[in-house]
Amino acid sequence: MNTAEFDTLVIGGGASGMAAALSAAEEGWKVVIVEREEFLGGILHQCIHNGFGLHYFKEELTGPEYAERFSDMVESSKITVYLNMTIMDIMKEGDGLTVYGLSMDPGMVRFKVRAVVFANGCRERNRGNIGIPGTRPSGVFTAGLAQRLVNLEGFVPGKECVIVGSGDIGLIMARRMSWIGANVKAVVEIQPNPAGLTRNIVQCLNDFDIPLYLSHVVGKIKGKERVEGVEVIPLENGIQQPEKMFSLECDTLLLAVGLVPDNELARKIGVELNQETGGPVVDSRLMTAIEGVFACGNLLHVHDLVDFVTEESSRCGKFVSEFLIGKRPEKQYRTNPGKNVKYIVPNYYEGARENVFYMRTLIVKNNAILSVKVKGTEIYRKKLRHIQPSEMIQFSLKEEDFKLIKDKGVMEVSIE
Amino acid sequence: MKKDLICIACPLGCRLTARWLNESAIEITGNRCPRGEEYGREEVVEPKRVVTATVRLKSGFLKRLPVTTKRPVPKDKIAALLNRLYTIELSAPVIRGEVVLDMADDGVQVLSSRTVKK
Ligand SMILES: Cc1cc2nc3c(=O)[nH]c(=O)nc-3n(C[C@H](O)[C@H](O)[C@H](O)COP(=O)(O)OP(=O)(O)OC[C@H]3O[C@@H](n4cnc5c(N)ncnc54)[C@H](O)[C@@H]3O)c2cc1C
Ligand code: SF4
């Protein structure tokens, strides 16, 4: 077996892996990216629509364009890249970490490194996760898989289509299917609010007069060999109203019922997981409870904006660099989600530097107030014009903000 | 007269209001940046969208090449544009930013979103 030594190994060459690798390499470290696919860029290559990069590049790019800007930077850097290689295992050994990657050529490689960045993205929930009853005919796809088939393979999944779930992938696919000539009958969403970005409701559904059934569930899939239709049942106060059930004919069902961090590998090494995000619990420097193991991007928590993925992951690369020179935080304190907050990442903060936070709310509201309290004392307050669960909220606390508190401790973030 | 809109020029999705001050003067409010004002005005006068699609590609590596219009296209021209795109077949190499379709009469240009070397 080949053995290779690096300072840092990055698992996954998507937006997050490339950003983390670039920012660690900038500090002079020997960095390797290991990517399972034939190319760098990850999920971005199947996201052929525009809407990427407005924050980071100050222009609107498609997914592949955004990916290529970064893969160009990786190519002209000193970063080593292994493509077509899957990371199979990772373990703590002595002071460092040993990571095993498998590929057709050169076969199994053992990497001896001092730090690892988990940047291996997320995966889709499927029918099993939401338990739709009925037959198991062909024609049922997860929306991300359908996106991949259409955009990378040129495969058309069907002609008459119903989409379950109003997350962004579902919405983007509603437009994509319409543009390739399919008839999208409806988007069915169990929640009273759409899960995707508002702009996608406008340009992917309203533009095509596709009805969005909020507070509705797909009760049953009909058809033996191939999907023939679905039964749709309205909810009232969360209770199904079977007498108001109606049927939609279709030959294809796309499930856009959410993404979860692909945490299998992280679990293997014994990283503690955050119940709310499905990703690892991390400290203020995006390090998991295992020394030298970091996490960022969709593997840490599912992002809706790639720009935020890039920001978080570049920061992660800098934290890796600090770790490698032996810098450790003095003392860290917990960050807890308070009222109307679903989660906050990272799960710890430290008082002696700037801390950047990402969070999601549980509610839809205009003119909301975000409030950060440490042991009951408010240290930060921000007005938010519009909030909803599908739109991630970012804020940062400067060193001065912490000067207000003499007695540091658990931080609670709430939204009213 | 007024019309509520949602700005789609970036993912923030600001809620805009377009108010007609008179026949031709439209005031846009609710935008967080100048792009929103531009979008709002255009949306009530001549709505446009960026169109992204794929075209057939001969390459040892990829079957479909992602493409995008250089600028937003008037909505009523999208169907014809897509029909044209679906008849195109390209061969690698293709460079990101290369013009793959030029409908000069309509002022529509379609560019490759990706570099495919072979
Ligand atoms: C369908 C969809 C639409 C989106 N639309 C937008 C949008 O309009 N605007 C916007 O700003 N953002 C959008 N996003 C969000 C943004 O693009 C993504 O969140 C971002 O690209 C994720 O980057 P990542 O690196 O975390 O994950 P990924 O891109 O998924 O990268 C993970 C990489 O890890 C690799 N990998 C996984 N396991 C292993 C392993 N064991 N060994 C080696 N490699 C491995 C994978 O092959 C993959 O390349 C969208 C996301 C999706 C899914
Ligand atoms: S007004 Fe500006 S910030 Fe708001 S959605 Fe439009 S482009 Fe984005």
Side-chain angles (χ1 to χ4, degrees), chain A residues 11-17 34-37 39 41-44 46-47 49-53 85-88 119-122 144 147 168-169 172 197 199-200 259 262 265 296-299 303-307 309, chain B residues 11:
Chain A
I11 308 175
S16 77
V34 178
E35 167 58 52
R36 178 169 70 182
E37 300 279 341
F39 39 77
I43 200 89
L44 286 168
Q46 68 182 64
C47 303
H49 56 281
N50 64 316
F52 299 80
M85 179 181 275
T86 304
I87 296 299
M88 307 300 289
N120 48 314
C122 59
Q147 184 181 49
D168 286 312
I169 313 179
I172 297 283
L197 299 173
R199 67 183 317 226
N200 288 337
L259 302 165
D262 196 350
L265 260 180
C296 56
N298 278 357
L299 178 276
H303 293 62
D304 30 67
L305 290 185
V306 71
D307 307 70
V309 169

Short mmCIF file of all heavy atoms in Angstrom, two decimals, chain A residues 11-17 34-37 39 41-44 46-47 49-53 85-88 119-122 144 147 168-169 172 197 199-200 259 262 265 296-299 303-307 309, chain B residues 11, ligand 1:
data_model
loop_
_atom_site.label_atom_id
_atom_site.label_comp_id
_atom_site.label_asym_id
_atom_site.label_seq_id
_atom_site.Cartn_x
_atom_site.Cartn_y
_atom_site.Cartn_z
N ILE A 11 -11.45 15.96 2.96
CA ILE A 11 -12.32 14.93 2.37
C ILE A 11 -13.41 15.62 1.58
O ILE A 11 -14.28 16.28 2.14
CB ILE A 11 -12.96 14.03 3.45
CG1 ILE A 11 -11.90 13.48 4.40
CG2 ILE A 11 -13.78 12.92 2.81
CD1 ILE A 11 -12.48 12.69 5.57
N GLY A 12 -13.37 15.50 0.27
CA GLY A 12 -14.37 16.11 -0.59
C GLY A 12 -13.84 17.35 -1.29
O GLY A 12 -13.24 18.21 -0.65
N GLY A 13 -14.05 17.41 -2.60
CA GLY A 13 -13.56 18.55 -3.39
C GLY A 13 -14.68 19.40 -3.93
O GLY A 13 -14.62 19.89 -5.04
N GLY A 14 -15.74 19.56 -3.13
CA GLY A 14 -16.82 20.48 -3.50
C GLY A 14 -16.43 21.91 -3.12
O GLY A 14 -15.26 22.20 -2.84
N ALA A 15 -17.43 22.78 -3.11
CA ALA A 15 -17.17 24.18 -2.77
C ALA A 15 -16.46 24.28 -1.42
O ALA A 15 -15.51 25.06 -1.26
CB ALA A 15 -18.49 24.95 -2.72
N SER A 16 -16.90 23.51 -0.45
CA SER A 16 -16.32 23.66 0.88
C SER A 16 -14.91 23.09 0.94
O SER A 16 -14.00 23.74 1.48
CB SER A 16 -17.23 23.05 1.95
OG SER A 16 -17.14 21.67 1.96
N GLY A 17 -14.69 21.92 0.37
CA GLY A 17 -13.36 21.32 0.41
C GLY A 17 -12.33 22.20 -0.28
O GLY A 17 -11.21 22.40 0.22
N VAL A 34 -9.03 14.91 -1.36
CA VAL A 34 -9.43 13.62 -1.93
C VAL A 34 -10.89 13.70 -2.33
O VAL A 34 -11.76 13.99 -1.51
CB VAL A 34 -9.21 12.47 -0.92
CG1 VAL A 34 -9.67 11.15 -1.53
CG2 VAL A 34 -7.74 12.38 -0.54
N GLU A 35 -11.15 13.48 -3.61
CA GLU A 35 -12.50 13.61 -4.16
C GLU A 35 -12.90 12.32 -4.87
O GLU A 35 -12.17 11.80 -5.69
CB GLU A 35 -12.55 14.81 -5.12
CG GLU A 35 -13.78 14.90 -6.01
CD GLU A 35 -15.09 14.93 -5.25
OE1 GLU A 35 -15.24 15.76 -4.33
OE2 GLU A 35 -15.97 14.09 -5.56
N ARG A 36 -14.10 11.88 -4.55
CA ARG A 36 -14.64 10.62 -5.06
C ARG A 36 -14.95 10.68 -6.57
O ARG A 36 -14.82 9.70 -7.28
CB ARG A 36 -15.91 10.38 -4.25
CG ARG A 36 -16.73 9.20 -4.53
CD ARG A 36 -17.73 9.05 -3.43
NE ARG A 36 -18.75 10.12 -3.46
CZ ARG A 36 -19.72 10.22 -2.57
NH1 ARG A 36 -19.82 9.39 -1.57
NH2 ARG A 36 -20.60 11.18 -2.68
N GLU A 37 -15.40 11.85 -7.03
CA GLU A 37 -15.80 11.98 -8.44
C GLU A 37 -14.59 12.23 -9.35
O GLU A 37 -13.48 12.39 -8.87
CB GLU A 37 -16.79 13.14 -8.60
CG GLU A 37 -18.05 13.01 -7.80
CD GLU A 37 -19.08 12.10 -8.46
OE1 GLU A 37 -18.98 11.87 -9.67
OE2 GLU A 37 -19.98 11.64 -7.73
N PHE A 39 -14.12 14.88 -11.04
CA PHE A 39 -13.77 16.29 -11.12
C PHE A 39 -14.04 16.99 -9.79
O PHE A 39 -14.80 16.49 -8.96
CB PHE A 39 -14.59 16.97 -12.23
CG PHE A 39 -16.02 16.51 -12.31
CD1 PHE A 39 -16.96 16.96 -11.41
CD2 PHE A 39 -16.41 15.59 -13.28
CE1 PHE A 39 -18.27 16.53 -11.47
CE2 PHE A 39 -17.73 15.14 -13.34
CZ PHE A 39 -18.67 15.62 -12.43
N GLY A 41 -15.60 20.16 -7.59
CA GLY A 41 -16.79 21.02 -7.73
C GLY A 41 -18.02 20.48 -7.02
O GLY A 41 -18.92 21.23 -6.66
N GLY A 42 -18.08 19.16 -6.86
CA GLY A 42 -19.17 18.57 -6.09
C GLY A 42 -20.53 18.85 -6.71
O GLY A 42 -20.69 18.85 -7.93
N ILE A 43 -21.48 19.10 -5.83
CA ILE A 43 -22.88 19.27 -6.22
C ILE A 43 -23.07 20.44 -7.19
O ILE A 43 -24.02 20.48 -7.94
CB ILE A 43 -23.72 19.45 -4.92
CG1 ILE A 43 -25.19 19.16 -5.15
CG2 ILE A 43 -23.57 20.83 -4.36
CD1 ILE A 43 -25.52 17.74 -4.94
N LEU A 44 -22.14 21.38 -7.18
CA LEU A 44 -22.28 22.57 -8.04
C LEU A 44 -22.43 22.21 -9.51
O LEU A 44 -23.10 22.91 -10.26
CB LEU A 44 -21.07 23.49 -7.86
CG LEU A 44 -21.01 24.29 -6.56
CD1 LEU A 44 -19.64 24.93 -6.40
CD2 LEU A 44 -22.09 25.37 -6.54
N GLN A 46 -24.08 19.90 -10.96
CA GLN A 46 -25.44 19.59 -11.40
C GLN A 46 -26.37 20.76 -11.21
O GLN A 46 -27.49 20.76 -11.71
CB GLN A 46 -25.95 18.33 -10.70
CG GLN A 46 -26.20 18.49 -9.20
CD GLN A 46 -26.65 17.18 -8.59
OE1 GLN A 46 -25.91 16.20 -8.58
NE2 GLN A 46 -27.90 17.15 -8.13
N CYS A 47 -25.92 21.79 -10.51
CA CYS A 47 -26.72 23.00 -10.31
C CYS A 47 -26.41 23.97 -11.44
O CYS A 47 -25.70 24.95 -11.23
CB CYS A 47 -26.42 23.65 -8.97
SG CYS A 47 -26.66 22.55 -7.58
N HIS A 49 -28.18 26.06 -12.88
CA HIS A 49 -28.89 27.35 -12.83
C HIS A 49 -27.98 28.44 -12.28
O HIS A 49 -26.94 28.16 -11.69
CB HIS A 49 -30.15 27.21 -11.98
CG HIS A 49 -29.88 26.71 -10.58
ND1 HIS A 49 -29.66 25.38 -10.31
CD2 HIS A 49 -29.79 27.35 -9.40
CE1 HIS A 49 -29.45 25.22 -9.02
NE2 HIS A 49 -29.51 26.40 -8.43
N ASN A 50 -28.42 29.66 -12.44
CA ASN A 50 -27.63 30.78 -11.92
C ASN A 50 -28.09 31.12 -10.50
O ASN A 50 -29.11 30.64 -10.05
CB ASN A 50 -27.76 31.99 -12.83
CG ASN A 50 -29.18 32.51 -12.86
OD1 ASN A 50 -30.13 31.74 -12.96
ND2 ASN A 50 -29.35 33.80 -12.74
N GLY A 51 -27.32 31.92 -9.81
CA GLY A 51 -27.70 32.29 -8.45
C GLY A 51 -26.56 32.04 -7.48
O GLY A 51 -26.74 32.08 -6.26
N PHE A 52 -25.40 31.80 -8.01
CA PHE A 52 -24.25 31.51 -7.16
C PHE A 52 -23.26 32.66 -7.21
O PHE A 52 -23.03 33.24 -8.27
CB PHE A 52 -23.54 30.24 -7.63
CG PHE A 52 -24.42 29.02 -7.60
CD1 PHE A 52 -25.34 28.78 -8.61
CD2 PHE A 52 -24.36 28.13 -6.53
CE1 PHE A 52 -26.16 27.66 -8.57
CE2 PHE A 52 -25.18 27.02 -6.50
CZ PHE A 52 -26.08 26.79 -7.52
N GLY A 53 -22.67 32.97 -6.08
CA GLY A 53 -21.52 33.85 -6.09
C GLY A 53 -21.77 35.34 -5.91
O GLY A 53 -20.85 36.13 -5.97
N MET A 85 -11.20 9.01 -6.00
CA MET A 85 -10.78 8.28 -4.81
C MET A 85 -11.76 8.55 -3.66
O MET A 85 -12.13 9.69 -3.40
CB MET A 85 -9.36 8.70 -4.39
CG MET A 85 -8.90 7.97 -3.13
SD MET A 85 -7.26 8.47 -2.59
CE MET A 85 -6.25 7.41 -3.60
N THR A 86 -12.17 7.47 -3.00
CA THR A 86 -13.12 7.59 -1.90
C THR A 86 -12.41 7.35 -0.57
O THR A 86 -11.65 6.39 -0.44
CB THR A 86 -14.25 6.54 -2.06
OG1 THR A 86 -14.83 6.73 -3.34
CG2 THR A 86 -15.31 6.69 -0.98
N ILE A 87 -12.67 8.22 0.38
CA ILE A 87 -12.13 8.00 1.71
C ILE A 87 -12.98 6.93 2.40
O ILE A 87 -14.20 7.06 2.49
CB ILE A 87 -12.12 9.30 2.54
CG1 ILE A 87 -11.19 10.34 1.91
CG2 ILE A 87 -11.74 9.03 4.00
CD1 ILE A 87 -9.74 9.92 1.80
N MET A 88 -12.32 5.89 2.84
CA MET A 88 -13.03 4.75 3.41
C MET A 88 -13.01 4.75 4.93
O MET A 88 -13.94 4.30 5.58
CB MET A 88 -12.39 3.44 2.94
CG MET A 88 -12.23 3.31 1.45
SD MET A 88 -13.80 3.40 0.59
CE MET A 88 -14.48 1.82 1.08
N ALA A 119 -15.35 17.63 4.55
CA ALA A 119 -16.05 18.56 3.65
C ALA A 119 -16.79 17.74 2.61
O ALA A 119 -16.86 18.09 1.44
CB ALA A 119 -15.05 19.50 3.00
N ASN A 120 -17.34 16.61 3.08
CA ASN A 120 -17.94 15.68 2.12
C ASN A 120 -19.44 15.86 1.92
O ASN A 120 -20.12 14.96 1.44
CB ASN A 120 -17.57 14.23 2.43
CG ASN A 120 -17.74 13.86 3.86
OD1 ASN A 120 -17.33 14.60 4.75
ND2 ASN A 120 -18.35 12.73 4.12
N GLY A 121 -19.96 17.04 2.25
CA GLY A 121 -21.31 17.41 1.79
C GLY A 121 -22.46 16.68 2.44
O GLY A 121 -22.34 16.12 3.54
N CYS A 122 -23.59 16.69 1.74
CA CYS A 122 -24.81 16.12 2.31
C CYS A 122 -25.41 15.10 1.36
O CYS A 122 -24.95 14.93 0.24
CB CYS A 122 -25.81 17.22 2.59
SG CYS A 122 -26.26 18.15 1.12
N GLY A 144 -32.64 15.52 -6.29
CA GLY A 144 -31.22 15.74 -6.59
C GLY A 144 -30.69 14.71 -7.58
O GLY A 144 -29.90 15.04 -8.46
N GLN A 147 -31.96 15.69 -10.87
CA GLN A 147 -31.19 16.83 -11.36
C GLN A 147 -29.87 16.36 -11.98
O GLN A 147 -29.45 16.83 -13.03
CB GLN A 147 -30.91 17.78 -10.18
CG GLN A 147 -30.20 19.05 -10.59
CD GLN A 147 -29.93 19.93 -9.39
OE1 GLN A 147 -29.42 19.47 -8.37
NE2 GLN A 147 -30.28 21.19 -9.49
N ASP A 168 -35.45 23.92 -2.19
CA ASP A 168 -34.90 24.54 -3.39
C ASP A 168 -34.67 23.56 -4.54
O ASP A 168 -34.91 23.87 -5.69
CB ASP A 168 -33.60 25.28 -3.07
CG ASP A 168 -33.89 26.56 -2.33
OD1 ASP A 168 -34.78 27.30 -2.79
OD2 ASP A 168 -33.28 26.81 -1.29
N ILE A 169 -34.21 22.36 -4.19
CA ILE A 169 -33.93 21.42 -5.28
C ILE A 169 -35.23 21.09 -5.99
O ILE A 169 -35.28 21.00 -7.22
CB ILE A 169 -33.29 20.12 -4.75
CG1 ILE A 169 -32.16 20.46 -3.79
CG2 ILE A 169 -32.78 19.28 -5.89
CD1 ILE A 169 -31.50 19.26 -3.20
N ILE A 172 -36.20 24.18 -8.16
CA ILE A 172 -35.32 24.30 -9.32
C ILE A 172 -35.66 23.22 -10.35
O ILE A 172 -35.67 23.44 -11.55
CB ILE A 172 -33.83 24.16 -8.88
CG1 ILE A 172 -33.43 25.29 -7.92
CG2 ILE A 172 -32.90 24.05 -10.06
CD1 ILE A 172 -33.16 26.62 -8.55
N LEU A 197 -36.17 29.00 -1.09
CA LEU A 197 -36.02 30.45 -1.15
C LEU A 197 -37.19 31.07 -1.92
O LEU A 197 -37.65 30.50 -2.90
CB LEU A 197 -34.72 30.83 -1.87
CG LEU A 197 -33.41 30.36 -1.25
CD1 LEU A 197 -32.24 30.67 -2.19
CD2 LEU A 197 -33.18 31.05 0.08
N ARG A 199 -37.24 33.53 -3.91
CA ARG A 199 -36.97 33.82 -5.33
C ARG A 199 -37.23 32.60 -6.20
O ARG A 199 -37.60 32.71 -7.36
CB ARG A 199 -35.52 34.29 -5.50
CG ARG A 199 -34.52 33.20 -5.20
CD ARG A 199 -33.08 33.64 -5.28
NE ARG A 199 -32.74 34.49 -6.39
CZ ARG A 199 -31.66 34.32 -7.16
NH1 ARG A 199 -30.86 33.30 -6.98
NH2 ARG A 199 -31.39 35.15 -8.11
N ASN A 200 -37.03 31.42 -5.62
CA ASN A 200 -37.28 30.22 -6.40
C ASN A 200 -38.77 29.92 -6.56
O ASN A 200 -39.18 29.34 -7.55
CB ASN A 200 -36.53 29.03 -5.79
CG ASN A 200 -35.04 29.13 -6.04
OD1 ASN A 200 -34.61 29.81 -6.97
ND2 ASN A 200 -34.24 28.50 -5.20
N LEU A 259 -32.27 17.53 2.86
CA LEU A 259 -30.89 17.07 2.79
C LEU A 259 -30.40 16.86 4.22
O LEU A 259 -30.85 17.55 5.13
CB LEU A 259 -30.03 18.14 2.12
CG LEU A 259 -30.45 18.55 0.70
CD1 LEU A 259 -29.78 19.85 0.30
CD2 LEU A 259 -30.13 17.45 -0.29
N ASP A 262 -23.81 14.20 5.25
CA ASP A 262 -23.40 12.82 4.99
C ASP A 262 -22.42 12.42 6.10
O ASP A 262 -21.21 12.41 5.90
CB ASP A 262 -22.74 12.76 3.61
CG ASP A 262 -22.64 11.33 3.10
OD1 ASP A 262 -22.92 10.40 3.89
OD2 ASP A 262 -22.29 11.15 1.93
N LEU A 265 -19.03 8.79 7.74
CA LEU A 265 -17.59 8.72 8.04
C LEU A 265 -17.26 9.38 9.37
O LEU A 265 -16.46 8.88 10.16
CB LEU A 265 -16.81 9.46 6.96
CG LEU A 265 -16.13 8.69 5.85
CD1 LEU A 265 -15.42 9.69 4.94
CD2 LEU A 265 -15.15 7.65 6.37
N CYS A 296 -16.78 21.41 7.81
CA CYS A 296 -17.35 22.63 7.23
C CYS A 296 -18.24 22.30 6.04
O CYS A 296 -18.26 21.17 5.57
CB CYS A 296 -16.25 23.60 6.81
SG CYS A 296 -15.05 22.90 5.66
N GLY A 297 -18.96 23.30 5.56
CA GLY A 297 -19.84 23.13 4.40
C GLY A 297 -21.09 22.33 4.75
O GLY A 297 -21.51 22.27 5.90
N ASN A 298 -21.65 21.68 3.73
CA ASN A 298 -22.90 20.96 3.95
C ASN A 298 -22.74 19.75 4.86
O ASN A 298 -23.72 19.21 5.35
CB ASN A 298 -23.47 20.50 2.60
CG ASN A 298 -24.24 21.62 1.92
OD1 ASN A 298 -24.40 22.71 2.48
ND2 ASN A 298 -24.73 21.36 0.73
N LEU A 299 -21.52 19.33 5.08
CA LEU A 299 -21.30 18.23 6.02
C LEU A 299 -21.51 18.71 7.45
O LEU A 299 -21.92 17.96 8.32
CB LEU A 299 -19.86 17.70 5.83
CG LEU A 299 -19.32 16.59 6.70
CD1 LEU A 299 -18.76 17.03 8.03
CD2 LEU A 299 -20.29 15.44 6.86
N HIS A 303 -26.41 24.11 3.90
CA HIS A 303 -26.46 25.54 3.55
C HIS A 303 -27.38 25.73 2.36
O HIS A 303 -27.49 24.85 1.52
CB HIS A 303 -25.08 26.04 3.12
CG HIS A 303 -24.05 26.06 4.21
ND1 HIS A 303 -23.64 24.94 4.85
CD2 HIS A 303 -23.33 27.08 4.73
CE1 HIS A 303 -22.71 25.26 5.75
NE2 HIS A 303 -22.51 26.57 5.70
N ASP A 304 -27.97 26.94 2.25
CA ASP A 304 -28.69 27.22 1.01
C ASP A 304 -27.87 28.09 0.07
O ASP A 304 -28.18 28.19 -1.10
CB ASP A 304 -30.07 27.84 1.27
CG ASP A 304 -30.11 28.67 2.52
OD1 ASP A 304 -29.44 29.72 2.55
OD2 ASP A 304 -30.79 28.27 3.47
N LEU A 305 -26.85 28.74 0.57
CA LEU A 305 -26.02 29.60 -0.28
C LEU A 305 -24.59 29.12 -0.31
O LEU A 305 -23.95 28.96 0.73
CB LEU A 305 -26.03 31.04 0.24
CG LEU A 305 -27.33 31.80 0.10
CD1 LEU A 305 -27.14 33.24 0.54
CD2 LEU A 305 -27.82 31.75 -1.33
N VAL A 306 -24.09 28.93 -1.51
CA VAL A 306 -22.73 28.46 -1.64
C VAL A 306 -21.73 29.50 -1.11
O VAL A 306 -20.67 29.16 -0.59
CB VAL A 306 -22.42 28.06 -3.10
CG1 VAL A 306 -22.34 29.28 -3.99
CG2 VAL A 306 -21.15 27.25 -3.19
N ASP A 307 -22.11 30.77 -1.21
CA ASP A 307 -21.21 31.83 -0.71
C ASP A 307 -20.93 31.65 0.78
O ASP A 307 -19.83 31.90 1.25
CB ASP A 307 -21.84 33.21 -0.91
CG ASP A 307 -22.26 33.42 -2.35
OD1 ASP A 307 -23.24 32.77 -2.78
OD2 ASP A 307 -21.61 34.19 -3.04
N VAL A 309 -21.08 28.77 2.28
CA VAL A 309 -20.24 27.57 2.36
C VAL A 309 -18.77 27.98 2.19
O VAL A 309 -17.90 27.57 2.96
CB VAL A 309 -20.62 26.56 1.25
CG1 VAL A 309 -19.58 25.44 1.14
CG2 VAL A 309 -22.00 25.97 1.50
N PRO B 11 -30.43 35.92 -3.91
CA PRO B 11 -31.22 35.04 -3.05
C PRO B 11 -31.84 35.70 -1.82
O PRO B 11 -32.64 35.07 -1.14
CB PRO B 11 -30.22 33.96 -2.63
CG PRO B 11 -29.16 34.01 -3.67
CD PRO B 11 -29.06 35.43 -4.06
C1 LIG C 1 -29.75 21.12 -5.65
C2 LIG C 1 -29.04 22.26 -4.99
C3 LIG C 1 -29.29 23.55 -5.44
C4 LIG C 1 -28.59 24.62 -4.88
N1 LIG C 1 -28.83 25.88 -5.35
C5 LIG C 1 -28.08 26.93 -4.87
C6 LIG C 1 -28.23 28.26 -5.39
O1 LIG C 1 -29.08 28.53 -6.27
N2 LIG C 1 -27.42 29.24 -4.92
C7 LIG C 1 -26.50 28.99 -3.98
O2 LIG C 1 -25.75 29.90 -3.60
N3 LIG C 1 -26.37 27.75 -3.44
C8 LIG C 1 -27.12 26.72 -3.85
N4 LIG C 1 -26.97 25.46 -3.31
C9 LIG C 1 -26.09 25.29 -2.15
C10 LIG C 1 -24.61 25.11 -2.46
O3 LIG C 1 -24.37 24.94 -3.82
C11 LIG C 1 -24.09 23.90 -1.78
O4 LIG C 1 -24.50 23.99 -0.47
C12 LIG C 1 -22.57 23.78 -1.86
O5 LIG C 1 -22.12 23.70 -3.18
C13 LIG C 1 -22.14 22.57 -1.07
O6 LIG C 1 -20.76 22.41 -1.07
P1 LIG C 1 -20.06 21.28 -0.22
O7 LIG C 1 -18.64 21.29 -0.63
O8 LIG C 1 -20.38 21.41 1.20
O9 LIG C 1 -20.76 19.91 -0.67
P2 LIG C 1 -20.65 19.09 -2.06
O10 LIG C 1 -20.62 19.98 -3.21
O11 LIG C 1 -21.68 18.05 -1.98
O12 LIG C 1 -19.21 18.42 -1.97
C14 LIG C 1 -18.92 17.25 -1.28
C15 LIG C 1 -17.93 16.46 -2.08
O13 LIG C 1 -17.44 15.40 -1.30
C16 LIG C 1 -17.29 14.27 -2.11
N5 LIG C 1 -17.29 13.10 -1.23
C17 LIG C 1 -18.31 12.64 -0.45
N6 LIG C 1 -17.92 11.57 0.26
C18 LIG C 1 -16.63 11.35 -0.06
C19 LIG C 1 -15.67 10.38 0.35
N7 LIG C 1 -15.98 9.43 1.24
N8 LIG C 1 -14.44 10.44 -0.18
C20 LIG C 1 -14.12 11.39 -1.09
N9 LIG C 1 -14.98 12.34 -1.50
C21 LIG C 1 -16.22 12.31 -0.99
C22 LIG C 1 -18.44 14.35 -3.07
O14 LIG C 1 -18.20 13.63 -4.24
C23 LIG C 1 -18.54 15.85 -3.32
O15 LIG C 1 -17.80 16.25 -4.45
C24 LIG C 1 -27.66 24.37 -3.84
C25 LIG C 1 -27.46 23.07 -3.38
C26 LIG C 1 -28.13 22.01 -3.94
C27 LIG C 1 -27.87 20.63 -3.39
#
